[in-house]
Amino acid sequence: TDRPARFFVSEIIRDIRIKRAAQLLASGGMRVSEVMVEVGMNNQYRFTKYFQEAYGMTPKEYSQLHAPQQKS
């Protein structure tokens, strides 16, 4: 391939961050903005874009689907 190795490294790091974000969202108790900062991303548009590419839904939708439900 013609792409420099640094692009592959940054993609691997991004994938790890997105997977960790999914784990945090599924555990509940954190807002999407908190999860984004926790995994080291600071651009909400890119975070949402990459998350949606990986999981087929927005971080908020993922959280609503996977997080433990609050009992009232």
Side-chain angles (χ1 to χ4, degrees), residues 45 55 70:
Y45 171 79
Y55 291 96
Q70 302 270 338

Side-chain angles (χ1 to χ4, degrees), residues 7-37:
F7 287 112
F8 293 118
V9 172
S10 66
E11 290 171 5
I12 291 167
I13 292 169
R14 181 181 68 216
D15 288 347
I16 291 168
R17 287 177 172 167
I18 294 298
K19 287 176 184 174
R20 179 64 180 142
Q23 291 174 337
L24 292 171
L25 290 169
S27 69
M30 291 180 79
R31 295 179 179 170
V32 172
S33 59
E34 294 170 327
V35 168
M36 182 183 77
V37 172

